[in-house]
């Protein structure tokens, strides 16, 4: 445990930020899982609507600095490919 006041504050701030980041990452993962379930069920219209919400959640995580923009682009691209594959079937 730190003895200096500023170090004590950093521990508190880091703990709080860590829990916020975990929460936001969990929100992204949950949204992706829900979308994947809809895609697996084969419901194209619902998948398109849910994709818009998921994309928004991923973008907000990028703006908060939780994900790198390329990581987010990769996640969105993979989901879009799966949705487009549904459309062709």
């Amino acid at each position: 445990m730190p003895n200096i006041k500023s170090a004590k504050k950093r521990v508190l701030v880091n703990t709080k930020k860590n829990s916020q980041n975990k929460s936001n990452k969990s929100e992204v993962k949950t949204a992706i899982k829900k979308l994947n379930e809809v895609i697996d069920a084969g419901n194209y219209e619902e998948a398109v609507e849910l994709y818009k919400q998921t994309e928004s959640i991923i973008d907000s995580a990028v703006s908060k600095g939780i994900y790198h923009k390329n990581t987010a682009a990769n996640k969105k691209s993979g989901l879009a490919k799966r949705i487009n594959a549904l459309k062709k079937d």
Side-chain angles (χ1 to χ4, degrees):
M1 201 57 201
N3 293 323
I4 298 170
K5 186 176 181 182
S6 61
K8 290 178 183 177
K9 181 178 179 181
R10 290 294 348 144
V11 168
L12 294 174
V13 170
N14 288 341
T15 304
K16 185 175 180 182
K17 284 292 186 183
N18 185 26
S19 66
Q20 288 174 347
N21 289 342
K22 269 188 186 173
S23 172
N24 288 326
K25 268 192 179 183
S26 176
E27 182 183 12
V28 170
K29 289 178 184 178
T30 302
I32 290 173
K33 283 180 188 175
K34 284 182 183 178
L35 180 56
N36 281 330
E37 287 175 4
V38 171
I39 292 171
D40 290 340
N43 192 342
Y44 176 75
E45 291 79 18
E46 190 177 346
V48 171
E49 288 300 316
L50 203 55
Y51 177 75
K52 292 176 186 175
Q53 296 171 2
T54 304
E55 187 178 28
S56 174
I57 292 170
I58 292 171
D59 287 337
S60 69
V62 170
S63 69
K64 293 173 186 172
I66 294 162
Y67 285 114
H68 190 273
K69 63 180 181 176
N70 292 351
T71 302
N74 189 18
K75 289 181 183 298
K76 292 190 290 187
S77 172
L79 293 170
K81 279 183 183 178
R82 292 194 65 206
I83 291 172
N84 288 335
L86 270 183
K87 185 177 183 182
K88 292 177 184 174
D89 291 339

